[in-house]
Amino acid sequence: MSGVPDILAEVAPRRSYFLGLDFSTQQLKAVVVDEKLKVLHEAAVNFDRNLPEYRTNGGVKKNGSSITAPTVMWVKALDLLMDQLKITGLDFQDISAISGAGQQHGSVYWRKGAEKVLSTLDPTKFLFLQLANCFSVQDSPVWMDSSTQSYCETMEKKLGGPQKLADLTGSRAYERFTGHQIAKILTEKAELYFNTERISLVSSFGCSIFLGSYSPIDWSDASGMNLLDINSKEWDSQCLHMCAPDLKEKLDKPVVAHTCLGPISSYFVERYSFDPSCQVVAFTGDNPASLAGMCLEAGDIAISLGTSDTVFLWLSGNPTPSLEGHVFCNPVDPQAYMALLCFKNGSLTRERIRNVYANRSWDQFDALLNCTPPGNYGYVGMFFDEQEITPKIQGTFRFDPSDQRIDAFEEAATEVRAVIEGQLLAKRVHAERLGFRTGESCRVFVTGGASNNKSILQVLSDVFNAHIYTQDTTNSTCLGSAYRAAHGLAVKQSDAFIPFNEFMADRRPNFTLLCSPRVEAAKLYDSMAARYATLESSVLTQL
Ligand code: ADP
Ligand code: XUL
């Protein structure tokens, strides 16, 4: 064949890549995977570090119990992220579909006329310059907010109690859930509410930018609003009316998460050379996307150690929501559900203790953790820097071996072990209330920033008496978004639903066994979990 051009080889097969994004609390992240769903590129923009002009701390701004993030900061982060991806050598033309995720519950208020701007963006200019005036409310309330207690009480009362609301929407009323945040904006800033033409979640806001028009909210992220009937998958009109007038129009009809919403907007085609047929698949919440990224199945339990710590699992059968935790529509199986527990005091609390006691160094933090034995000589700590979600407590509580409250531990190492053991025992105690049982045959899949830390994971393994598995990338939310993009496109192309786990069967990500439980430590934590539960109840009753 020498000298004869190989025509077939010259026509390279068209590449088919998938882009997954995560508008998370502290960063905007992206991952690109190839047709085999292997990771090719990763990029991230950290809000505090890379966008200091917005003066956020951990990606948010605090004003008492009101916690927000500047909406336009997320847009500017997207400008930076796209440029970063370009520098990695990515040819955007190879991307066949995009999906994404957002921190759950946060809301974006598009002012009247904003969709016109979205659909006519000038490709020679940055997004943030053009969208700066598109938000009627400048600062988006986010999931850390706990300022809507009175709205929660009203909704529970009007609906016949917390369990009735949980049966309907998957959760009792929670302050961060979007319905109450909207009700607060109507009460405190009515003119801004009436100047709003669309309310997005952080997920559907990100999706709208890529689409060049308003994206609907997917069922899974919609389950975090106390507004969606999780059985019919429609907005509940009673809940809507309790929060604000004309809310149904401002939210639009929710869609199943694998929906292909249409091609990417011409802004991205012209500015970044995307293929005009690149499809945008509905974005969802970060925890649902993470469930997809870990390819969880019934029986598995996942723990995310990010800004928030979450515990989630796949639920088959009819949902039975309780007064603790949440039931969300499943992001990859329209018939199924997922359960979730959220702990607000996750990485930022660990970081605070690292900064005070371990010289801002994870290595020193780990050394202190490893020089104390499991059980911490009987000392126990609960560190709720912000009002905790599970359970609703704020403050620091330290106990000596005879359960007496003390103000401080004598050693830095005791404090370090107390924060890790306290956080992980809380997860076990509350996961058991959801029906989870620990045991040697049990597997726990871990993700999020702190899943890099093997010393913390060994404590997790001992506390849960379970084998701990991690993925090659700690960012299962971005990965799940890229997988969902590929799956959404496949469903569109086949014109029939393909079960996600079937689609992923020969493309599943690698999991590595990182830690196994140590028999003596696991035994000790059995009794310590019971003791922790009693101490937690005693703190709750004293409030
Ligand atoms: P999010 O997606 O919520 O923005 P990530 O999952 O990216 O958050 O996690 C970020 C957090 O990871 C940081 O706040 C940091 O405290 C934590 N982290 C990073 N590396 C380590 C480590 N080696 N040990 C413990 N925590 C870590
Ligand atoms: C879940 C929750 C947080 C946010 C931010 O209910 O509030 O996990 O999704 O990650």
Side-chain angles (χ1 to χ4, degrees):
M1 293 285 284
S2 75
V4 182
D6 180 349
I7 294 171
L8 281 180
E10 276 180 14
V11 186
R14 192 184 173 288
R15 294 195 183 112
S16 188
Y17 295 168
F18 302 95
L19 171 61
L21 293 122
D22 176 16
F23 287 79
S24 79
T25 314
Q26 302 192 57
Q27 311 152 69
L28 171 60
K29 301 176 247 186
V31 72
V32 177
V33 299
D34 65 12
E35 35 288 90
K36 294 203 168 88
L37 306 189
K38 294 276 169 276
V39 175
L40 295 176
H41 302 281
E42 288 187 81
V45 173
N46 180 288
F47 303 135
D48 295 359
R49 269 201 307 276
N50 304 124
L51 293 165
E53 62 271 35
Y54 294 102
R55 297 169 185 274
T56 57
N57 192 352
V60 300
K61 296 204 292 195
K62 290 186 191 164
N63 181 6
S65 58
S66 291
I67 305 195
T68 57
T71 315
V72 75
M73 173 183 78
W74 296 330
V75 181
K76 194 165 181 183
L78 182 57
D79 285 319
L80 297 184
L81 186 84
M82 295 305 292
D83 285 345
Q84 260 196 42
L85 282 170
K86 203 155 78 183
I87 292 164
T88 65
L90 172 65
D91 185 348
F92 290 104
Q93 208 167 351
D94 294 331
I95 295 176
S96 302
I98 298 178
S99 191
Q103 49 170 300
Q104 297 195 258
H105 321 293
S107 41
V108 169
Y109 300 79
W110 299 93
R111 79 161 168 72
K112 285 189 177 149
E115 192 171 34
K116 183 89 203 307
V117 180
L118 258 184
S119 63
T120 52
L121 290 168
D122 177 348
T124 64
K125 298 194 177 122
F126 284 119
L127 288 166
F128 84 95
L129 294 173
Q130 302 182 73
L131 294 177
N133 293 321
C134 280
F135 307 109
S136 47
V137 176
Q138 304 286 309
D139 290 325
S140 287
V142 297
W143 66 274
M144 295 166 113
D145 183 282
S146 54
S147 66
T148 63
Q149 163 105 27
S150 61
Y151 303 92
C152 291
E153 284 165 7
T154 307
M155 188 184 271
E156 286 186 345
K157 205 150 140 210
K158 286 198 180 155
L159 269 197
Q163 186 60 52
K164 282 257 163 47
L165 181 62
D167 292 340
L168 179 70
T169 68
S171 304
R172 69 175 301 174
Y174 281 89
E175 288 155 322
R176 69 194 193 286
F177 275 43
T178 326
H180 317 295
Q181 297 293 338
I182 296 170
K184 181 182 160 197
I185 284 181
L186 174 73
T187 309
E188 295 181 359
K189 301 172 183 157
E191 77 287 6
L192 301 186
Y193 177 80
F194 289 110
N195 194 27
T196 298
E197 71 183 8
R198 175 60 76 99
I199 300 175
S200 294
L201 293 181
V202 180
S203 55
S204 60
F205 145 82
C207 188
S208 303
I209 297 179
F210 283 97
L211 211 50
S213 59
Y214 293 144
S215 155
I217 297 173
D218 84 288
W219 294 348
S220 198
D221 213 14
S223 315
M225 302 172 81
N226 278 141
L227 296 177
L228 186 84
D229 176 337
I230 57 162
N231 289 295
S232 70
K233 276 99 169 168
E234 302 281 353
W235 301 121
D236 179 79
S237 45
Q238 240 192 317
C239 293
L240 290 181
H241 288 139
M242 255 174 252
C243 292
D246 307 322
L247 197 44
K248 200 169 182 175
E249 293 71 43
K250 292 193 202 300
L251 293 174
D252 198 9
K253 201 174 156 51
V255 295
V256 63
H258 63 255
T259 309
C260 258
L261 295 168
I264 192 163
S265 98
S266 59
Y267 174 86
F268 289 90
V269 174
E270 288 165 37
R271 187 174 175 90
Y272 296 104
S273 306
F274 274 87
D275 185 318
S277 67
C278 170
Q279 290 293 311
V280 181
V281 174
F283 285 28
T284 190
D286 55 358
N287 293 294
S290 188
L291 176 133
M294 296 171 112
C295 294
L296 272 206
E297 292 184 38
D300 295 334
I301 181 164
I303 299 187
S304 171
L305 301 170
T307 310
S308 62
D309 286 350
T310 56
V311 175
F312 50 90
L313 34 107
W314 179 291
L315 291 179
S316 329
N318 289 332
T320 51
S322 68
L323 291 184
E324 185 164 281
H326 316 295
V327 173
F328 296 152
C329 295
N330 189 295
V332 291
D333 180 343
Q335 313 303 331
Y337 293 86
M338 65 180 279
L340 180 123
L341 290 169
C342 182
F343 301 85
K344 197 190 282 182
N345 296 284
S347 277
L348 297 179
T349 304
R350 290 186 286 273
E351 246 175 61
R352 179 183 64 75
I353 290 187
R354 178 203 65 175
N355 294 348
V356 176
Y357 295 92
N359 215 11
R360 310 183 82 85
S361 146
W362 286 121
D363 286 343
Q364 288 189 33
F365 183 94
D366 296 352
L368 289 170
L369 180 62
N370 293 329
C371 77
T372 44
N376 212 9
Y377 301 111
Y379 293 100
V380 172
M382 297 174 192
F383 299 84
F384 306 118
D385 294 358
E386 300 289 336
Q387 182 181 280
E388 187 44 76
I389 295 164
T390 321
K392 199 167 165 179
I393 306 180
Q394 183 158 17
T396 298
F397 306 88
R398 297 183 186 85
F399 298 92
D400 72 8
S402 51
D403 292 349
Q404 295 306 306
R405 263 195 81 178
I406 50 176
D407 289 335
F409 297 128
E410 280 179 16
E411 306 286 334
T414 316
E415 182 93 345
V416 164
R417 182 162 278 274
V419 70
I420 298 301
E421 287 188 343
Q423 289 185 333
L424 300 179
L425 284 164
K427 285 174 190 53
R428 168 169 165 180
V429 164
H430 292 278
E432 284 180 341
R433 288 184 195 156
L434 276 188
F436 169 76
R437 292 289 162 261
T438 60
E440 243 261 89
S441 61
C442 165
R443 297 188 309 170
V444 173
F445 296 86
V446 206
T447 185
S451 68
N452 279 315
N453 188 316
K454 199 159 173 205
S455 305
I456 295 178
L457 295 189
Q458 185 57 56
V459 183
L460 178 66
S461 180
D462 294 337
V463 167
F464 273 70
N465 191 14
H467 299 284
I468 306 297
Y469 291 83
T470 55
Q471 272 169 306
D472 299 343
T473 160
T474 53
N475 191 353
S476 58
T477 302
C478 268
L479 208 54
S481 300
Y483 295 168
R484 291 184 52 258
H487 176 243
L489 185 64
V491 172
K492 178 182 158 67
Q493 286 171 344
S494 79
D495 257 349
F497 183 68
I498 309 164
F500 180 77
N501 286 333
E502 210 172 273
F503 174 77
M504 292 299 298
D506 50 359
R507 305 179 172 100
R508 295 175 76 81
N510 290 333
F511 277 94
T512 312
L513 173 64
L514 216 68
C515 299
S516 290
R518 297 169 297 181
V519 178
E520 286 310 311
K523 244 194 249 160
L524 185 146
Y525 285 125
D526 274 343
S527 52
M528 205 165 163
R531 181 171 162 228
Y532 183 93
T534 310
L535 288 173
E536 191 191 86
S537 306
S538 75
V539 170
L540 271 170
T541 50
Q542 282 161 31
L543 288 179

